[in-house]
Amino acid sequence: MKKEKEMTSVRWYMQFVRPYWWEIALTILIGIVKFAIPLFIPLLIQIVIDDIIGSDVLTAAEKTNQLFLYLGVTAAVFFVLRPPVEYYRQYFAQNVSNKILFDIRQHLFGHLQKLSLKYYSNTRAGEVISRVINDVEQTKQFIMIGLMNVWLDLATIVIAVAIMLSMDVPLTIVTLLAFPFYAYSVKHFFGKLRGLTRERSQALADVQSYLHERVAGVSVVKSFALEEHEKQNFDEVNGNFLTKALNHSRWNAKAFAVVNTITDVAPLLVIAYAGYQVINGSLSVGMMAAFIAYIERLYSPLRRLVSSSTTLTQAFASMDRVFELVNAPYDIENAKDAKVPSQFHGDVSFRNVQFEYEKGKPVLQDVSFDVKKGETVAFVGMSGGGKSTIVNLIPRFYDVTGGAITIDGRDIKEWMIEPMRQQIGVVMQDNILFSDSVKTNILMGNPEATDEEVIRAAKAANAHDFIMDLPQGYDTKVGERGVKLSGGQKQRVAIARVFLKNPPILILDEATSALDLESEALIQQSLDVLSKERTTFIVAHRLSTITHADTIYVIDHGKVVEEGTHEQLMQKKGTYYNLFQVQHL
């Protein structure tokens, strides 16, 4: 099962590599040229020692001339070939790896856009960010090392062994005696390293998640004077990462100690055997010197392979984590025969709707009602009764677990999701503004709108005057989540973008419940204008804001327990009457 998963994550990753195969192949070829050139230096050493210095025929002057001739030609080759080869190897390697990471992050962002609110309710934002940033960056090593450097090192070893075999077979065999021990050590140590790397990556993601949440909620920490308490909590999270990192480092250090000892001992065998052969006259001094030089050319790539194994293990662990994110299922998807809606008329119906966030824990039970075009309906009741859940089901933020919701007589599951949501405007209690300009945030309602349309929408939302008082007017940056604006100002910007969207169906989810009376009056005025001739759903705690609704539904424990106009419900003197009396005492 583990093997199957490993192959699947690698196979998924390779789909982003394939478009750049020719650049990778070219990089490998250039790299082979780079590493092959120095492999001829040991041969040069043998020629210099045996054929030039050790020659009985050449005079001193001739030996000097030949020495500098060979060295001059070699130096010329190095100066002419080495700089462009090294430049283009590095350029292509970095270029292709960065383009692949760009494609992967682009794919992941598209994937994140398709995940439902349920996924984000159960997953910390810092965890998602860590996988898209840290883990994707770590997978770069799979390209740089796994698809390039490992092949270069293997090619270097093969070329070096081939040259050594052509020079002296027995001595080459002695040189390779340490290989089996090297291979066993790598397999033994790096088998466990992948699990340790995953644990370290998860611990780092925990640190990032904790930081993300505490930075976002720094006002809460300061208001309760929890700085020291939070520091202690961070020490625990950070300490857990330190423990995992040290476990990883400890095992990694053992691997390097054993493997490097093997690669360091191997040359001693060659020196001993070659020295014995020279003493007995079976081997020339030049040949011995050449083989000793080849040992370094042979075992340096092996040492790099050990380092590569460590890095690749981390890359594979990161690829697994990225692949887990990619495998997160889409809870909300288009049906195969889904239709693109034309302009909605605005009739909405709930038919025996059932819903549960967790299996076996119903939130809505047998909810049914009809809303005609242009009508305004309101949902009231105690917190946790299911009011917000009802309106969140209309744009398919979640899917019903029973019954059906229809718009213009067709089940919303039969409509294409994005075109359907484009015709539904939502104003929430805590609207999210992005850390960009006021204008950009309003344009979320319609990115193609003109400046005149933006200003018109802002005026309709009673936002134009305060926007013009800002330092840069519509170009003023609002800060993360709109922190530079007051609650009422943020709400009016959110309403402006719904005006710009101009949807036939409108959802107001406690849009004024957290505002002061002055802001509430301004925003209520904007909402009254916004809801005209639109099918409007209102979730409200302040019952005074929904007395004008065509129908009011009282929701209790996921059921509709009362319905009617304000006057009708007051005459019944039931749940709604009691709620209204409590708020007006």
Side-chain angles (χ1 to χ4, degrees), residues 197-304:
T197 303
R198 282 177 59 81
E199 290 177 6
R200 187 183 65 174
S201 297
Q202 182 59 53
L204 180 60
D206 291 340
V207 172
Q208 186 157 342
S209 295
Y210 189 89
L211 279 173
H212 181 272
E213 291 175 354
R214 266 43 183 193
V215 169
V218 66
S219 58
V220 176
V221 174
K222 289 186 175 298
S223 65
F224 286 95
L226 293 173
E227 289 88 347
E228 192 59 36
H229 173 74
E230 287 302 318
K231 183 178 180 300
Q232 293 174 1
N233 288 342
F234 181 74
D235 286 346
E236 290 183 16
V237 177
N238 198 30
N240 179 57
F241 170 67
L242 176 62
T243 300
K244 302 299 183 185
L246 290 177
N247 289 341
H248 179 275
S249 299
R250 193 176 296 112
W251 189 258
N252 199 31
K254 289 179 182 177
F256 272 92
V258 173
V259 174
N260 286 339
T261 299
I262 293 172
T263 56
D264 288 339
V265 169
L268 299 179
L269 298 175
V270 177
I271 294 171
Y273 181 77
Y276 176 79
Q277 293 288 83
V278 170
I279 291 171
N280 287 278
S282 303
L283 193 72
S284 68
V285 175
M287 186 69 78
M288 177 181 174
F291 258 85
I292 292 173
Y294 271 123
I295 290 172
E296 184 58 30
R297 296 291 188 276
L298 185 64
Y299 281 96
S300 286
L302 286 176
R303 294 188 189 99
R304 284 198 300 271

Side-chain angles (χ1 to χ4, degrees), residues 40 73 80 102 125 140 168 218 226 244 253 257 275-276 301 307 371 394 403 429 456 549:
F40 292 97
V73 171
V80 171
F102 171 84
K140 182 179 181 180
D168 191 303
V218 66
L226 293 173
K244 302 299 183 185
Y276 176 79
S307 179
V371 184
I394 297 171
Q429 177 182 348
R456 196 180 307 129

Side-chain angles (χ1 to χ4, degrees), residues 497-513:
R497 63 189 180 195
V498 177
F499 266 111
L500 195 62
K501 188 175 186 179
N502 194 26
I505 298 174
L506 180 64
I507 295 172
L508 308 175
D509 190 356
E510 300 187 34
T512 63
S513 63

Side-chain angles (χ1 to χ4, degrees), residues 179-191 255 258-260 262:
F179 267 47
F181 300 98
Y182 168 87
Y184 174 78
S185 300
V186 169
K187 181 180 178 182
H188 172 73
F189 283 103
F190 292 99
V258 173
V259 174
N260 286 339
I262 293 172

Side-chain angles (χ1 to χ4, degrees), residues 39 154-167 172 294 297-298:
L39 289 177
L154 290 174
T156 302
I157 293 169
V158 170
I159 294 171
V161 170
I163 295 173
M164 293 165 72
L165 285 171
S166 68
M167 295 169 64
T172 303
Y294 271 123
R297 296 291 188 276
L298 185 64

Side-chain angles (χ1 to χ4, degrees), residues 449-577:
T450 63
D451 288 350
E452 291 76 16
E453 290 171 324
V454 169
I455 293 172
R456 196 180 307 129
K459 287 180 176 179
N462 286 323
H464 178 73
D465 291 341
F466 92 76
I467 293 174
M468 294 307 296
D469 289 336
L470 296 174
Q472 284 84 41
Y474 281 85
D475 294 321
T476 303
K477 305 287 185 183
V478 301
E480 188 171 3
R481 298 177 68 90
V483 69
K484 294 181 181 178
L485 302 180
S486 70
Q489 289 172 335
K490 284 196 295 183
Q491 207 70 334
R492 278 179 273 172
V493 171
I495 293 170
R497 63 189 180 195
V498 177
F499 266 111
L500 195 62
K501 188 175 186 179
N502 194 26
I505 298 174
L506 180 64
I507 295 172
L508 308 175
D509 190 356
E510 300 187 34
T512 63
S513 63
L515 304 176
D516 58 80
L517 293 177
E518 182 180 356
S519 296
E520 182 183 1
L522 282 170
I523 289 171
Q524 192 61 52
Q525 181 184 353
S526 302
L527 293 177
D528 290 343
V529 174
L530 181 60
S531 60
K532 281 183 180 178
E533 299 182 1
R534 306 178 200 271
T535 305
T536 305
F537 297 84
I538 303 174
V539 174
H541 274 128
R542 295 184 186 176
L543 303 187
S544 59
T545 62
I546 50 90
T547 55
H548 66 288
D550 296 298
T551 307
I552 299 171
Y553 295 95
V554 182
I555 309 298
D556 184 32
H557 292 90
K559 296 180 180 179
V560 177
V561 294
E562 289 182 0
E563 64 179 277
T565 64
H566 169 72
E567 291 76 14
Q568 290 170 342
L569 292 175
M570 290 298 289
Q571 289 174 7
K572 286 183 179 180
K573 295 191 176 182
T575 304
Y576 179 83
Y577 175 85

